C-alpha cells in the first residue's frame, strides 16, 4: 500500500500567499526558493525576479540597498533582524529565522517582512484619531460641566434673551461669527453653543488660543507643515488645527492677538476656502466654519493699523456682543444659584446663600464678569461648612460700603455724608410742562448718583431706593 502524498506540499504556494506578512525563503547558500504575494507587493518585485537568484546578486542588481541577513543567520544559527530599503525606496523590517535539518545544520532561512512606511502612516493616523478623540472628550466634558448648552443657558435679562435669539439664527448658517465681550463674559461658551446648535454639531469643535501660541509657531499650528519644513520638524509633517476641525468649527479665541503677517493668510483662508501648510507649495481645500472672539476693540485697532481692516470686515459678518454682567443684573442671582447647584453636585455639598449674601452679590459690580462669579461660588462651596453662605464669608471688597472719594476730600463718618454732591439748580424753562421738568431733574439726579457711587446697586442702597425703581424711573424719563 502506497503512502498518500503530503497534502500540504501541493498547496505550499497558496499557504504562503495567505500570510499577510511578506515571506521570503532562501537556502543556506543564499539562493531564493520561495516568495509569497505579500512579499511581491511590499518589494515591488515579481517572483520571477527573485526565485533562483542569490541575495548577493539581487543586491548588485539594485533590488536591495543592503544584503539580506541570510548569511548572518546561517553563520550564527540564530534569528536576526534588519531594515531594508527596496528599489522603489520603501523601508521594511526584516525578521529572519533559521530552519535546521535533522543533523542540526541550518538548511533554510525564512524572512518575514513588514512595511515600515505603512506602519508609520498607521501610527500617524492613530495619532490624529487620538487627537480628535481628545477633542470630542473635551467637548463632552465641557457640556457636562456647563449643564447642557443652549437649551439650559440662563438669560433672564432682556438684552441676553435677544442675544440668544440672534445666536440661534447665526448658528443655523455657515457664516463667520465674531463674539465680542469683556474678559470672563463667556465668549467660549457662546462659540460652543453656536457649534452645538449648527448642522456641524457632529463634527469637531477645535479651540485655538491665539494669545498662548508663540508667534513663530502659530502659522504651523493653524495650517500644519510639510515634511522637513524647518529644523526639528517631524519627518512626516503635521496636520494643523484647521485640518483637525475639518467639517466642523474652529474657534479662534483672542484673535486680536494674532500677528499681522498671519492675519493676511487667515484672510485668504476665509475668502478662498484653501490653506497652504508651512513648507508646501500645494494648497488644500478646507471646509471649516470660523468663529472668532476678542475683548479688544477691533474696529478702533483697524483704524490705527494694529489689526487688518480687511480681515476685520471679513470677520464682521455675524457679530454677537455679550454685555458685561454688571449691565445684566437680572442674571446675577440665577447664575449664582446655578453655580451653587453645579459645584454642590461636584463636591457633594448642599449649599445655599443667605439673603444678605444674595443682596451683596446682586449689588456687586463684577469686574471679572461671569468667570469671577463662577470662581467665587466654587470657592465658597468648598470652604463653607454650615450649608449656608453668610455675608461675612464673602470677600472683604464685596462687603465694603464706603464709596471712594478724592484723596483730598474728608472721609465720611456716617450715612448722612454719602448723598451725591449738591447739584446746581437749572434755570427754569417756563414753557415746559411741570411733569417734564420733574422727570428731567429726576433723570439727571439719578444718573449723577449712579456715576458718583459707581453702580446702580450702590446708588440704590445709598438713596434708599430699589434697583428696579431706579431702572423704571430712568426708562420713564427716556420716554420708553
Amino acid at each position: 500500500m502506497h503512502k498518500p502524498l503530503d497534502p500540504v506540499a501541493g498547496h505550499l504556494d497558496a499557504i504562503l500567499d495567505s500570510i499577510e506578512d511578506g515571506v521570503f525563503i532562501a537556502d543556506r547558500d543564499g539562493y531564493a526558493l520561495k516568495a509569497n504575494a505579500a512579499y511581491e507587493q511590499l518589494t515591488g518585485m515579481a517572483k520571477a525576479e527573485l526565485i533562483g537568484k542569490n541575495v548577493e546578486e539581487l543586491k548588485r542588481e539594485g533590488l536591495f540597498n543592503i544584503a539580506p541577513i541570510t548569511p548572518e543567520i546561517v553563520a550564527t544559527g540564530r534569528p536576526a533582524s534588519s531594515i531594508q530599503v527596496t528599489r522603489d525606496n520603501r523601508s521594511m523590517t526584516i525578521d529572519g529565522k533559521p530552519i535546521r535539518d535533522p543533523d542540526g545544520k541550518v538548511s533554510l532561512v525564512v524572512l518575514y517582512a513588514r512595511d515600515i512606511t505603512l506602519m508609520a502612516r498607521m501610527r500617524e493616523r492613530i495619532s490624529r484619531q487620538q487627537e480628535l478623540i481628545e477633542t470630542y472628550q473635551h467637548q463632552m466634558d465641557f457640556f457636562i460641566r456647563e449643564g447642557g448648552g443652549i437649551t439650559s443657558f440662563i438669560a433672564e435679562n432682556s438684552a441676553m434673551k435677544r442675544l440668544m435669539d440672534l445666536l440661534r439664527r447665526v448658528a443655523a448658517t455657515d457664516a463667520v461669527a465674531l463674539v465680542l465681550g469683556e474678559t470672563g463674559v463667556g465668549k467660549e461658551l457662546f462659540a460652543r453653543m453656536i457649534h452645538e446648535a449648527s448642522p456641524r454639531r457632529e463634527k469637531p469643535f477645535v479651540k485655538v488660543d491665539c494669545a498662548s501660541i508663540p508667534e513663530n509657531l502659530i502659522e504651523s499650528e493653524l495650517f500644519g507643515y510639510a515634511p522637513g519644513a524647518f529644523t526639528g520638524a517631524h519627518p512626516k509633517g503635521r496636520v494643523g488645527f484647521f485640518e483637525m476641525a475639518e467639517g466642523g468649527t474652529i474657534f479662534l479665541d483672542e484673535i486680536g492677538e494674532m500677528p499681522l503677517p498671519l492675519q493676511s493668510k487667515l484672510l485668504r483662508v476665509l475668502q478662498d476656502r484653501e490653506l497652504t501648510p508651512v513648507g508646501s507649495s500645494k494648497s488644500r481645500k478646507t471646509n471649516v466654519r470660523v468663529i472668532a472672539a476678542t475683548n479688544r476693540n477691533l474696529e478702533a485697532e483697524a483704524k490705527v493699523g494694529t489689526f487688518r481692516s480687511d480681515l476685520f470686515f471679513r470677520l464682521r459678518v455675524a457679530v454677537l456682543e455679550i454685555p458685561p454682567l454688571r449691565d445684566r443684573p437680572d442674571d446675577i442671582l440665577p447664575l449664582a444659584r446655578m453655580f451653587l447647584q453645579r459645584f454642590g453636585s461636584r463636591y457633594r455639598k448642599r449649599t445655599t446663600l443667605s439673603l444678605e449674601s444674595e443682596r451683596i452679590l446682586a449689588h456687586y459690580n463684577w469686574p471679572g464678569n461671569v468667570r469671577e462669579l463662577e470662581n467665587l461660588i466654587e470657592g465658597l462651596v468648598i470652604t463653607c461648612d454650615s450649608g449656608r453662605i453668610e455675608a461675612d464669608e464673602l470677600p472683604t471688597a464685596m462687603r465694603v460700603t464706603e464709596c471712594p472719594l478724592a484723596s483730598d476730600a474728608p472721609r465720611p463718618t456716617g450715612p448722612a455724608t454719602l448723598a451725591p454732591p449738591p447739584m446746581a439748580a437749572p434755570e427754569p424753562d417756563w414753557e415746559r410742562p411741570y411733569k417734564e421738568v420733574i422727570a428731567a431733574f429726576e433723570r439727571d439726579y439719578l444718573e449723577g448718583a449712579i456715576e458718583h457711587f459707581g453702580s446702580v446697586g450702590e446708588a440704590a442702597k445709598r438713596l434708599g431706593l430699589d434697583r428696579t425703581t431706579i431702572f423704571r424711573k430712568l426708562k420713564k424719563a427716556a420716554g420708553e
Side-chain angles (χ1 to χ4, degrees):
M1 182 176 181
H2 294 288
K3 183 178 179 180
L5 296 175
D6 184 355
V8 174
H11 298 285
L12 181 58
D13 287 340
I15 293 170
L16 291 175
D17 287 342
S18 70
I19 300 174
E20 293 184 359
D21 287 343
V23 179
F24 177 90
I25 302 175
D27 65 16
R28 61 176 290 108
D29 295 321
Y31 287 93
L33 303 176
K34 292 285 184 182
N36 71 347
Y39 193 82
E40 285 184 300
Q41 185 176 1
L42 285 173
T43 61
M45 296 181 285
K47 294 177 184 179
E49 296 180 86
L50 300 170
I51 304 304
K53 292 185 179 180
N54 191 278
V55 293
E56 292 293 340
E57 182 182 358
L58 294 172
K59 176 186 176 183
R60 287 193 300 270
E61 291 179 1
L63 301 183
F64 297 108
N65 73 334
I66 62 172
I69 56 177
T70 303
E72 176 187 346
I73 296 173
V74 172
T76 63
R78 294 193 298 267
S81 300
S82 73
I83 295 177
Q84 293 183 2
V85 180
T86 65
R87 62 185 175 186
D88 59 357
N89 206 33
R90 298 181 71 172
S91 297
M92 299 185 299
T93 59
I94 303 295
D95 294 312
K97 300 185 182 299
I99 305 296
R100 301 179 186 275
D101 60 21
D103 296 331
K105 293 182 179 180
V106 176
S107 60
L108 298 174
V109 174
V110 181
L111 304 179
Y112 300 92
R114 295 180 180 89
D115 188 353
I116 295 178
T117 306
L118 180 60
M119 292 167 63
R121 289 173 183 166
M122 289 300 295
R123 281 196 297 269
E124 183 179 357
R125 186 174 300 174
I126 291 170
S127 176
R128 291 185 192 178
Q129 291 298 321
Q130 185 62 38
E131 288 177 336
L132 288 176
I133 289 170
E134 290 176 359
T135 298
Y136 283 126
Q137 186 62 52
H138 289 324
Q139 286 182 241
M140 291 295 294
D141 291 345
F142 180 87
F143 279 97
I144 290 172
R145 185 173 70 249
E146 296 299 330
I150 192 169
T151 56
S152 63
F153 186 80
I154 291 178
E156 298 294 331
N157 179 265
S158 58
M160 287 299 290
K161 290 179 179 178
R162 290 193 296 271
L163 188 62
M164 293 304 295
D165 289 338
L166 175 61
L167 185 150
R168 291 182 177 90
R169 294 197 297 273
V170 170
T173 72
D174 253 352
V176 176
L178 179 61
V179 184
L180 304 176
E182 296 179 3
T183 298
V185 292
K187 296 187 289 294
E188 180 181 351
L189 174 60
F190 266 67
R192 289 183 182 272
M193 287 193 297
I194 292 172
H195 173 75
E196 286 299 311
S198 77
R200 297 175 180 263
R201 67 178 67 89
E202 302 298 329
K203 298 296 184 179
F205 176 93
V206 177
K207 176 190 174 183
V208 182
D209 188 347
C210 299
S212 66
I213 304 175
E215 185 172 341
N216 61 332
L217 294 179
I218 189 168
E219 181 178 359
S220 62
E221 290 292 305
L222 282 176
F223 307 133
Y225 59 80
F230 50 84
T231 302
H234 193 282
K236 299 296 181 182
R238 183 176 176 81
V239 301
F241 287 122
F242 266 87
E243 192 168 346
M244 289 174 59
E246 183 65 21
T249 302
I250 189 166
F251 173 46
L252 303 177
D253 198 12
E254 302 296 348
I255 196 169
E257 306 295 330
M258 182 175 286
L260 278 169
L262 190 59
Q263 292 179 22
S264 62
K265 297 182 179 181
L266 175 61
L267 179 62
R268 285 201 297 272
V269 172
L270 294 176
Q271 291 176 336
D272 303 334
R273 299 278 183 175
E274 291 183 345
L275 59 86
T276 305
V278 175
S280 174
S281 58
K282 296 181 179 179
S283 298
R284 301 176 184 172
K285 286 290 184 181
T286 180
N287 175 25
V288 176
R289 188 201 192 144
V290 175
I291 302 176
T294 183
N295 59 5
R296 292 164 62 168
N297 187 335
L298 294 187
E299 184 173 9
E301 296 198 11
K303 289 179 180 178
V304 299
T306 54
F307 194 86
R308 288 185 65 102
S309 58
D310 47 4
L311 177 58
F312 168 67
F313 295 131
R314 188 66 184 82
L315 291 172
R316 198 183 60 179
V317 176
V319 180
L320 293 89
E321 187 163 3
I322 309 173
L325 188 55
R326 62 181 172 275
D327 289 348
R328 43 189 175 110
D330 324 50
D331 291 341
I332 293 174
L333 291 182
L335 282 169
R337 295 180 187 120
M338 185 264 289
F339 291 138
L340 277 175
Q341 183 177 12
R342 177 188 303 169
F343 295 120
S345 176
R346 177 180 301 179
Y347 299 113
R348 298 181 181 179
K349 297 177 71 175
R350 184 179 178 84
T351 312
T352 60
L353 290 164
S354 69
L355 291 177
E356 180 62 13
S357 295
E358 288 192 346
R359 187 189 68 80
I360 293 173
L361 294 180
H363 292 167
Y364 180 58
N365 201 40
W366 299 107
N369 291 295
V370 179
R371 184 182 300 142
E372 181 184 4
L373 175 60
E374 179 181 12
N375 293 338
L376 172 69
I377 296 297
E378 181 175 13
L380 291 170
V381 170
I382 292 172
T383 57
C384 180
D385 293 326
S386 65
R388 188 171 72 167
I389 300 169
E390 301 292 346
D392 59 4
E393 297 179 72
L394 299 178
T396 304
M398 289 187 176
R399 294 182 279 114
V400 171
T401 57
E402 289 184 316
C403 176
L405 300 175
S407 58
D408 57 347
R411 295 193 64 79
T413 57
T417 63
L418 295 177
M423 301 177 64
E427 182 69 19
D429 181 357
W430 303 111
E431 300 300 321
R432 295 178 66 188
Y434 175 78
K435 288 185 177 180
E436 285 187 16
V437 174
I438 295 300
F441 174 79
E442 192 170 45
R443 181 196 62 217
D444 294 341
Y445 180 84
L446 292 175
E447 288 178 349
I450 293 169
E451 182 179 358
H452 177 75
F453 291 118
S455 70
V456 174
E458 192 66 21
K461 181 170 65 176
R462 302 301 180 87
L463 300 179
L465 297 172
D466 292 331
R467 293 160 55 89
T468 53
T469 300
I470 292 181
F471 282 122
R472 178 172 52 79
K473 288 182 175 293
L474 288 174
K475 189 175 181 180
K476 182 179 178 181
E480 297 180 9

